[in-house]
Amino acid sequence: MKFGDHLNERVFSPWRHYYVQYDYLKHELKRRQLSEFGWTGEDEEEFAHILETELDKVYDFVTAKLAEVEARINYCEKTLRITTSSPTTASTSQRQMVDDTLTEALFDVNDLAKFTRLNHTAFLKIIKKHDKWTDYRLREKFVPKMREKPLDKQRFDVPIVYISALHDICRGTRTPSPYAQDNNEDDGVFQRATAKYWVHPDNVTEVKAILMLHLPVYIFGKDTTTKMDIKETDSAISSVYIDNPQFELYEGRLQRDQGAEAIRIRWYGDLKSNPLFIERKTHHAPWTDDLRSLKERFPLNVDEVPGYLAGTPYKGKQQNMFIANGVQDSIKNKKLKSTLRVFYNRTAFQIPKDQRVRVSLDTDLTFIKENNKSHWRRPDVGVDYPFSYLEEDEVLRFPYAVLETKVQTHLGQAMPDWLSRLVESHLVHEVPRFSKYLHGASILYKDKIPLLPWWHSELATDILKPRDTEFGLSRSASFKPLMDGQYLFKSAMATEHKRIHVASMRGKHDGSTSDSGSSTDKRTLISSWSPQKQNYHQITLGQSVDTDDHDINNINKKVRVLAPPSTTAMNTTSRRRGGFIAKWKEQFQQHVMKQNSATDGSLIPLRKVKVEPKVFFANERTFISWLQFCGLLLMVALNLLNFGDGAAKIAGSIFICIAALVALYALYRFEKRAW
């Protein structure tokens, strides 16, 4: 599929005018290139100006929408603070209103992320076409302007995290879990079954939103209830993997040998983060009694890391001595050194202090060579993705995000149903046994590694799958938020249920029959809902109705079983406009209410037939087309009468008569089809 068609297919209709005019820019390229003078310097300046204007339009819209989302979040925060500080003012309806507002903001963030990525791709595509079709090179001049107003660096993690925190408060899920553990994540042993999936960049924000609706966002060492405490660098995670020149740990993990180790030094945030964590992941074969994945770790201060790697004994907590000594023995015996750094921004989803189910989504995944012989990590590399200052042979940027599910099966915890549906949907692509270290080392050190992971071939396939089910986030025809094809807002669901209830009540009475010997059936009560009072009016159908013109108002009262009072009032007003409308109204009443021959004059309401608006407008368009033809005939007739001879004037008169007859016929067909 061409990108222009792809763009038009994925446009969000309410924001259509704020997308980059890709088709127009491509048309300008072709038109100016194929002109008599070819592509000139003046064309280059004008095209660059048009492109810059489009960039300003898109960037200003993204900035304005983010400010709007932030304003709604601030409003929800203030409302929740008032309700939580004053229990007397708190109510379920207020919390539900805030929850609906946050959900709408979450959907806007999801749509805005897709909008931003789609427009950024469009700019890159049109610049590439320009440089290919012309002799000018616009990329060198325009890329700096795109960096001043970056679309590819827009981060939506902060609003998602804060929306998640407020969602938890609204729904009252910030209570301690019965499975809460007392130990911190600073140290300990984690036993869990893991599964990994790739997520296409177009689906990242949607996957985050789905996870957020089921699990709260968790940031290590941060309180998400305080907005000022959340920074973009909080989600950054860096790990330095150590190995020897023979890549012994790499081969053991790739071949999944019993007891194969992966040792890394991890820190959260920027380079100033302290303490760090020394981690060891051990693989156990399926035939052993142990779990297949075991992670152990302990904290260590930054200034103690060089000495620990050099063999200085660990002097920390006694409970960490076994892990620390075991890792240090492996470093000494296998002569391990810093080999590869892995960087990514992680959004974790987990109930606080409950590690039975944990889901993490890693974006901006980057692999960097650690070639600094004087230090265990490169001091020139921070957390400033995409690390454009590094040489191409030193860095590898992974094209997808990585979703990882971690379930503590040894506690009897099974994967939740909603999570099973997510990993089986079109939003993710399963890659069993995917390893960040194995992937980065196999490419950056491909000259030294004979064995490659199996998933390299998967990179050549497009993992962006079409939406084949209703699973995920979507919007209705009126752009209301839908989750798995269902309304998220309770108010919308309540309205829909009320509409279905009223329709079912009418349907029951539409198909009912009355026995002649039953006095109860003769006085059947039918309910009609009034939008003004939102209640039901009871009327009796056991009396005969006079359908004469002078008693048409009586019929209007009975028609209220089929239409709201506002419709009846409109019909009564229409009657006063003339006898034609009154006569039509009488025919309409006789059509919708007929005498029941089996009873003594009781009336049975017939089922209403909904006429689609497009049917009415199609009739109107046909009528207008006939009138246009009549206008053409009249124009010809007037020219013949004014400028022609005797025969021409006769022909003009005939044309006028034909035009009048055609107009009357068109009016007749229009009225007949309309009523």
Side-chain angles (χ1 to χ4, degrees):
M1 180 185 295
K2 293 184 177 180
F3 180 76
D5 298 333
H6 174 76
L7 176 63
N8 294 329
E9 181 181 323
R10 293 179 175 269
V11 161
F12 184 44
S13 297
W15 300 349
R16 176 176 295 275
H17 299 295
Y18 300 100
Y19 283 82
V20 58
Q21 300 182 48
Y22 182 81
D23 292 336
Y24 169 74
L25 292 172
K26 191 168 69 171
H27 171 74
E28 283 295 303
L29 273 176
K30 291 182 179 179
R31 183 182 67 82
R32 295 171 185 263
Q33 180 69 16
L34 299 177
S35 64
E36 181 180 356
F37 303 99
W39 191 271
T40 63
E42 183 179 355
D43 293 330
E44 180 70 13
E45 293 180 1
E46 292 180 358
F47 187 81
H49 177 70
I50 295 174
L51 204 60
E52 187 174 354
T53 303
E54 289 295 303
L55 178 61
D56 293 340
K57 177 187 70 175
V58 174
Y59 184 78
D60 291 343
F61 176 76
V62 172
T63 304
K65 290 300 292 184
L66 281 176
E68 178 185 332
V69 170
E70 184 177 0
R72 278 188 279 176
I73 293 175
N74 290 334
Y75 165 77
C76 294
E77 178 192 13
K78 293 178 181 178
T79 304
L80 286 178
R81 288 186 184 277
I82 294 174
T83 56
T84 53
S85 61
S86 302
T88 56
T89 61
S91 65
T92 305
S93 60
Q94 286 179 326
R95 289 182 178 270
Q96 184 61 48
M97 180 194 66
V98 173
D99 189 71
D100 292 347
T101 303
L102 291 171
T103 302
E104 183 67 36
L106 180 64
F107 272 73
D108 284 349
V109 170
N110 179 46
D111 295 332
L112 193 59
K114 295 180 179 179
F115 172 89
T116 303
R117 176 171 175 79
L118 202 57
N119 281 278
H120 179 258
T121 306
F123 280 114
L124 296 181
K125 291 281 187 181
I126 202 66
I127 292 174
K128 183 179 179 181
K129 288 184 179 294
H130 170 276
D131 293 352
K132 181 180 179 180
W133 294 353
T134 68
D135 297 331
Y136 295 85
R137 293 296 171 263
L138 184 60
R139 186 179 185 87
E140 289 77 7
K141 298 179 181 179
F142 197 75
V143 167
K145 296 180 180 179
M146 293 184 64
R147 289 176 180 171
E148 294 176 2
K149 298 181 177 181
L151 296 177
D152 57 330
K153 291 187 178 181
Q154 294 292 334
R155 294 286 305 279
F156 304 100
D157 292 343
V158 173
I160 288 179
V161 169
Y162 202 53
I163 288 173
S164 174
L166 297 179
H167 258 299
D168 297 339
I169 298 175
C170 286
R171 300 174 182 179
T173 56
R174 282 196 172 273
T175 56
S177 169
Y179 299 92
Q181 300 176 1
D182 295 334
N183 61 308
N184 296 327
E185 286 194 359
D186 294 355
D187 44 34
V189 179
F190 303 94
Q191 298 177 342
R192 51 202 177 194
T194 63
K196 296 182 180 180
Y197 309 83
W198 290 349
V199 182
H200 193 276
D202 290 350
N203 298 329
V204 167
T205 309
E206 183 173 356
V207 171
K208 284 184 180 180
I210 294 173
L211 292 171
M212 193 220 73
L213 292 173
H214 295 89
L215 288 175
V217 176
Y218 174 77
I219 298 180
F220 177 78
K222 292 290 182 179
D223 180 12
T224 55
T225 60
T226 305
K227 183 176 181 180
M228 298 304 295
D229 199 33
I230 302 174
K231 299 180 295 185
E232 291 187 358
T233 56
D234 291 338
S235 61
I237 297 180
S238 303
S239 301
V240 172
Y241 287 83
I242 58 178
D243 207 337
N244 53 28
Q246 294 77 30
F247 289 92
E248 184 178 345
L249 299 189
Y250 171 90
E251 292 186 2
R253 296 292 294 184
L254 180 62
Q255 298 175 3
R256 303 184 68 80
D257 296 335
Q258 167 62 21
E261 295 179 327
I263 301 176
R264 65 192 178 197
I265 307 170
R266 168 169 292 187
W267 66 94
Y268 301 86
D270 53 22
L271 295 177
K272 300 178 182 179
S273 177
N274 195 29
L276 292 76
F277 296 91
I278 309 296
E279 299 183 353
R280 178 178 65 181
K281 298 181 69 174
T282 306
H283 172 73
H284 295 288
W287 48 266
T288 63
D289 295 333
D290 298 325
L291 287 180
R292 300 177 64 180
S293 178
L294 177 65
K295 186 177 81 170
E296 306 165 290
R297 71 176 184 176
F298 62 94
L300 195 67
N301 292 329
V302 177
D303 54 358
E304 297 176 354
V305 173
Y308 176 80
L309 296 177
T312 303
Y314 174 73
K315 298 179 180 179
K317 297 180 180 180
Q318 184 66 31
Q319 62 184 12
N320 298 327
M321 292 298 297
F322 177 78
I323 305 174
N325 293 335
V327 172
Q328 201 167 42
D329 290 342
S330 297
I331 295 175
K332 180 180 178 180
N333 297 333
K334 299 178 182 179
K335 299 180 181 180
L336 305 179
K337 296 181 180 180
S338 300
T339 303
L340 179 73
R341 182 185 301 193
V342 179
F343 168 84
Y344 47 86
N345 286 294
R346 167 165 290 184
T347 307
F349 302 86
Q350 173 188 335
I351 298 176
K353 297 184 179 181
D354 183 1
Q355 300 175 12
R356 293 180 304 152
V357 178
R358 177 184 172 92
V359 184
S360 61
L361 184 63
D362 301 334
T363 57
D364 303 331
L365 179 57
T366 310
F367 307 95
I368 304 170
K369 278 186 177 180
E370 283 291 345
N371 51 13
N372 192 331
K373 298 181 180 180
S374 60
H375 200 268
W376 64 273
R377 66 178 178 184
R378 296 178 58 168
D380 60 326
V381 178
V383 294
D384 46 347
Y385 177 85
F387 309 100
S388 56
Y389 50 85
L390 295 177
E391 299 293 335
E392 290 300 323
D393 60 343
E394 294 181 334
V395 62
L396 172 66
R397 301 171 186 88
F398 194 66
Y400 306 124
V402 178
L403 177 72
E404 186 173 2
T405 62
K406 305 171 185 178
V407 182
Q408 291 186 338
T409 54
H410 68 288
L411 297 178
Q413 175 65 44
M415 182 176 291
D417 178 66
W418 64 268
L419 187 55
S420 299
R421 295 177 59 198
L422 172 62
V423 299
E424 294 172 359
S425 69
H426 65 283
L427 297 174
V428 301
H429 178 75
E430 184 175 7
V431 187
R433 302 175 182 176
F434 174 76
S435 169
K436 298 183 181 70
Y437 171 62
L438 296 183
H439 183 82
S442 64
I443 296 181
L444 292 179
Y445 296 96
K446 57 184 177 182
D447 298 335
K448 301 179 180 180
I449 295 178
L451 300 177
L452 299 179
W454 71 269
W455 58 78
H456 274 209
S457 59
E458 292 290 302
L459 294 172
T461 62
D462 185 11
I463 68 170
L464 186 61
K465 307 172 186 176
R467 182 184 291 270
D468 53 354
T469 63
E470 292 184 345
F471 180 82
L473 306 184
S474 59
R475 289 186 181 268
S476 64
S478 58
F479 307 109
K480 298 296 183 183
L482 300 177
M483 180 65 179
D484 299 345
Q486 302 294 327
Y487 283 103
L488 273 176
F489 294 165
K490 292 185 178 180
S491 58
M493 289 189 293
T495 303
E496 183 69 7
H497 291 163
K498 185 178 292 184
R499 183 191 65 80
I500 295 174
H501 174 70
V502 174
S504 63
M505 290 291 295
R506 292 175 181 168
K508 291 179 181 179
H509 293 288
D510 290 347
S512 63
T513 57
S514 176
D515 296 330
S516 58
S518 174
S519 60
T520 304
D521 290 335
K522 293 180 181 180
R523 300 185 59 83
T524 304
L525 297 180
I526 295 182
S527 302
S528 67
W529 178 68
S530 170
Q532 285 79 6
K533 299 182 180 180
Q534 295 188 358
N535 58 6
Y536 290 87
H537 303 286
Q538 305 292 336
I539 65 173
T540 302
L541 297 182
Q543 302 173 356
S544 61
V545 180
D546 189 3
T547 56
D548 293 337
D549 286 339
H550 69 274
D551 204 16
I552 193 70
N553 290 330
N554 233 356
I555 298 180
N556 286 330
K557 297 178 181 178
K558 297 299 179 180
V559 175
R560 292 183 182 180
V561 299
L562 298 175
S566 57
T567 307
T568 307
M570 180 185 66
N571 292 340
T572 306
T573 305
S574 301
R575 171 188 170 273
R576 298 169 183 171
R577 296 178 182 174
F580 174 77
I581 299 298
K583 183 177 180 181
W584 167 83
K585 180 171 289 297
E586 179 181 356
Q587 295 175 353
F588 172 76
Q589 305 297 349
Q590 293 176 356
H591 174 69
V592 300
M593 304 289 288
K594 68 177 183 178
Q595 295 284 340
N596 184 5
S597 58
T599 61
D600 54 349
S602 61
L603 297 178
I604 300 177
L606 297 181
R607 184 179 298 276
K608 291 179 63 178
V609 178
K610 180 181 179 181
V611 179
E612 294 291 339
K614 63 181 182 181
V615 177
F616 173 79
F617 290 117
N619 184 31
E620 188 179 64
R621 286 195 300 270
T622 305
F623 178 58
I624 293 174
S625 299
W626 281 101
L627 293 183
Q628 288 177 344
F629 176 71
C630 295
L632 179 63
L633 285 180
L634 287 175
M635 182 179 65
V636 174
L638 291 176
N639 286 329
L640 292 176
L641 290 175
N642 291 330
F643 306 106
D645 53 9
K649 291 182 179 181
I650 295 175
S653 301
I654 295 175
F655 281 165
I656 290 178
C657 295
I658 294 175
L661 292 175
V662 171
L664 292 174
Y665 175 76
L667 178 62
Y668 166 75
R669 297 296 301 176
F670 173 75
E671 294 290 347
K672 184 176 181 180
R673 290 171 177 170
W675 308 115

